[in-house]
């Protein structure tokens, strides 16, 4: 059976390959390591559903189940041999081949005429401000992280910074084009 690859499944499988652990610890480690910028763990239920899928597909197994006094039962998971190989395959695929993803922003650009040009420009100006703030935060993360982490553990932050900077340049240009009337349309909605 081929398990559907996802960033969350990859992250959880990666963590149990590091060391056996329970679901709550996996979620906490993702947050502690600031990997929640690249893996959505906001909904604890999605973590448990993904763990169940990995278990059902034989990529992780139950190492032990324990219950401490006044605490909920905790199931500790470990990878199977198939899980280790699947993780390596997923990583090779994710690194080598661009995925067909459907982020919201390009979709919004595709349907820009739903707004009048002035409304679109105002919304894009808000995005410029948000991107500037995001870049400042990523710069802080990189500066602080470089004090105690090898670059290897900052690569995704470097990538996110490059993508945000490129997006900021593009959106600034689009705002300028809208302001100059170089991009316009008849609003009819």
């Amino acid at each position: 059976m081929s398990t559907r690859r996802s960033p969350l499944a990859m992250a959880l499988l990666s963590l149990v390959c590091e060391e056996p652990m329970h679901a709550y610890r996996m979620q906490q480690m993702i947050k502690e390591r600031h990997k929640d910028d690249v893996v959505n763990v906001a909904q604890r239920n999605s973590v448990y559903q993904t763990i169940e899928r990995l278990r059902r597909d034989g990529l992780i197994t139950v190492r032990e189940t324990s219950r401490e006094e006044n605490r909920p039962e905790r199931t500790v998971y470990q990878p199977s041999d198939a899980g280790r190989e699947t993780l390596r395959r997923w990583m090779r695929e994710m690194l080598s081949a661009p995925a067909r993803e459907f982020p919201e922003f390009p979709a919004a650009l595709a349907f820009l005429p739903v707004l009048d040009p002035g409304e679109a420009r105002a919304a894009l100006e808000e995005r410029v401000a948000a991107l500037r703030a995001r870049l400042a935060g990523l710069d802080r993360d990189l500066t602080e992280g470089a004090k105690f982490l090898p670059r290897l553990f900052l690569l995704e932050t470097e990538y996110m910074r490059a993508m945000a900077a490129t997006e900021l340049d593009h959106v600034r240009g689009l705002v300028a084009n809208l302001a100059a009337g170089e991009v316009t349309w008849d609003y009819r909605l």
Side-chain angles (χ1 to χ4, degrees):
M1 169 174 282
S2 179
T3 301
R4 183 177 51 84
R5 181 181 81 207
S6 72
L8 181 56
M10 184 270 309
L12 298 175
L13 193 50
S14 176
L15 287 170
V16 297
C17 283
E18 250 182 70
E19 67 180 80
M21 65 182 72
H22 53 81
Y24 181 73
R25 181 68 182 136
M26 290 180 222
Q27 184 180 26
Q28 290 310 109
M29 286 186 74
I30 289 170
K31 289 179 180 179
E32 287 171 12
R33 294 176 177 180
H34 302 283
K35 303 305 182 192
D36 53 334
D37 283 339
V38 295
V39 177
N40 185 359
V41 292
Q43 300 297 318
R44 185 175 299 166
N45 194 41
S46 62
V47 172
Y48 286 97
Q49 288 173 350
T50 302
I51 287 171
E52 179 53 31
R53 186 167 41 96
L54 293 170
R55 192 200 57 73
R56 184 184 63 237
D57 293 346
L59 301 182
I60 61 174
T61 61
V62 173
R63 179 178 182 155
E64 66 184 9
T65 301
S66 62
R67 181 183 199 99
E68 296 176 20
E69 190 175 323
N70 298 327
R71 306 282 296 191
E73 186 176 84
R74 290 220 165 143
T75 302
V76 175
Y77 300 93
Q78 64 187 10
S80 65
D81 290 340
R84 289 180 190 281
E85 184 49 43
T86 296
L87 176 61
R88 292 176 50 78
R89 180 175 46 80
W90 284 352
M91 287 298 296
R92 287 189 301 268
E93 291 170 357
M94 292 168 89
L95 288 170
S96 65
R100 189 165 179 226
E101 299 169 325
F102 300 95
E104 288 182 354
F105 185 58
L109 290 174
F111 296 96
L112 200 58
V114 167
L115 300 176
D116 70 62
E119 195 177 7
R121 180 177 157 201
L124 289 167
E125 287 170 342
E126 288 180 35
R127 190 175 191 94
V128 165
L131 287 167
R132 282 185 182 142
R134 174 115 171 102
L135 278 172
L138 290 167
D139 285 340
R140 270 191 313 278
D141 291 349
L142 286 169
T143 300
E144 290 302 309
K147 292 177 182 176
F148 60 91
L149 290 172
R151 183 172 175 224
L152 173 65
F153 298 109
L154 298 170
L155 294 176
E156 75 276 7
T157 307
E158 288 177 6
Y159 174 80
M160 289 186 298
R161 195 219 179 275
M163 296 303 290
T166 299
E167 183 179 334
L168 177 59
D169 288 344
H170 180 77
V171 175
R172 279 182 180 151
L174 182 53
V175 167
N177 293 152
L178 285 164
E182 295 168 2
V183 173
T184 192
W185 55 91
D186 292 327
Y187 174 70
R188 298 177 194 264
L189 193 61

